[in-house]
Amino acid sequence: MVSENRNFNRYVRGGLWPVEGEFPLASKLGGRRVGIIGLGSIGSRVSKRLEGFGCIISYLSRTKKSSIPYQYFSNIVDLASHNNILIVTCALTSETHHIVDKEVMSALGKEGVIINVGRGALIDEKEMVRCLIEGEIGGAGLDVFENEPFVPEELFEMDSVVLSAHRAAMSPEAVSDLLQVIVGNLEAFFANRPLLTPV
């Protein structure tokens, strides 16, 4: 019997399709409850994309945002227990270091998935690896790690984990856009005009 968590890409590349038969059914994204930790510019963009899939979105932020229609949680454990998926997009500070810890992962549960696109140290990585090995959480999607470029070796063989380097914006187009913003900011600064991007 094929594991339901097996990665389809690895399944096909490994020549298992003709040997083991059809890939098992997977869960769809639509209708999933997704909690976003940090609803700043990145978290907001993630939420807009998830809306298109029909996801039920809630969030944790320093303060409740009155213009946001999603359910607000002030406690991360409550956010985790309410959702199937947690997406970590907040900034790394002394307050958010290991914000996703053992208690949060326990609240997320055996079917829960953690996606981290923020910074590696937002998650207690050792605890996450243990939870994945023990089946205490269902999976993870990671493009940041606590000790980059080193990735815990246990994650390499887990079909329930997707790994990537934090390079999604590194395309020729993105670099060109970034250079245009830098030049535009310099021109605005020296002309005493408002900056294009003050941050």
Side-chain angles (χ1 to χ4, degrees):
M1 181 73 181
V2 176
S3 164
E4 289 185 14
N5 290 327
R6 183 168 285 169
N7 178 298
F8 190 52
N9 177 61
R10 190 178 298 173
Y11 186 72
V12 173
R13 286 178 181 269
L16 297 175
W17 193 358
V19 175
E20 296 192 21
E22 290 297 321
F23 194 76
L25 296 176
S27 300
K28 68 176 189 170
L29 181 59
R32 290 291 194 112
R33 295 185 317 277
V34 181
I36 300 175
I37 302 169
L39 203 65
S41 62
I42 295 172
S44 296
R45 289 178 182 178
V46 168
S47 71
K48 294 297 180 203
R49 286 158 175 79
L50 290 169
E51 280 182 7
F53 287 98
C55 293
I56 302 158
I57 302 164
S58 55
Y59 73 101
L60 173 106
S61 193
R62 285 185 294 241
T63 58
K64 184 175 183 178
K65 301 177 186 295
S66 58
S67 61
I68 301 296
Y70 315 133
Q71 184 175 359
Y72 169 74
F73 286 87
S74 59
N75 180 289
I76 191 166
V77 174
D78 292 342
L79 179 76
S81 64
H82 180 77
N83 287 287
N84 310 115
I85 301 167
L86 282 184
I87 302 179
V88 188
T89 65
C90 63
L92 178 61
T93 67
S94 57
E95 290 82 24
T96 60
H97 182 268
H98 284 188
I99 190 169
V100 179
D101 58 13
K102 179 180 182 176
E103 187 178 8
V104 172
M105 290 180 236
S106 294
L108 185 60
K110 294 178 183 288
E111 302 298 318
V113 174
I114 297 170
I115 298 171
N116 189 4
V117 295
R119 294 291 178 260
L122 293 166
I123 296 178
D124 182 341
E125 192 170 81
K126 287 183 181 176
E127 186 59 31
M128 179 190 64
V129 169
R130 188 197 65 75
C131 286
L132 286 162
I133 290 170
E134 300 294 326
E136 294 178 19
I137 58 174
L142 310 167
D143 80 343
V144 287
F145 306 90
E146 277 205 73
N147 299 299
E148 294 174 357
F150 303 104
V151 177
E153 291 185 12
E154 298 94 331
L155 299 177
F156 294 152
E157 297 305 315
M158 292 184 184
D159 289 320
S160 61
V161 178
V162 175
L163 306 171
S164 174
H166 192 69
R167 308 270 299 172
M170 296 308 293
S171 66
E173 297 84 1
V175 171
S176 175
D177 291 346
L178 177 61
L179 292 174
Q180 288 180 13
V181 169
I182 292 170
V183 170
N185 272 339
L186 288 170
E187 289 173 346
F189 176 79
F190 288 112
N192 240 358
R193 296 190 315 260
L195 299 180
L196 301 176
T197 55
V199 176

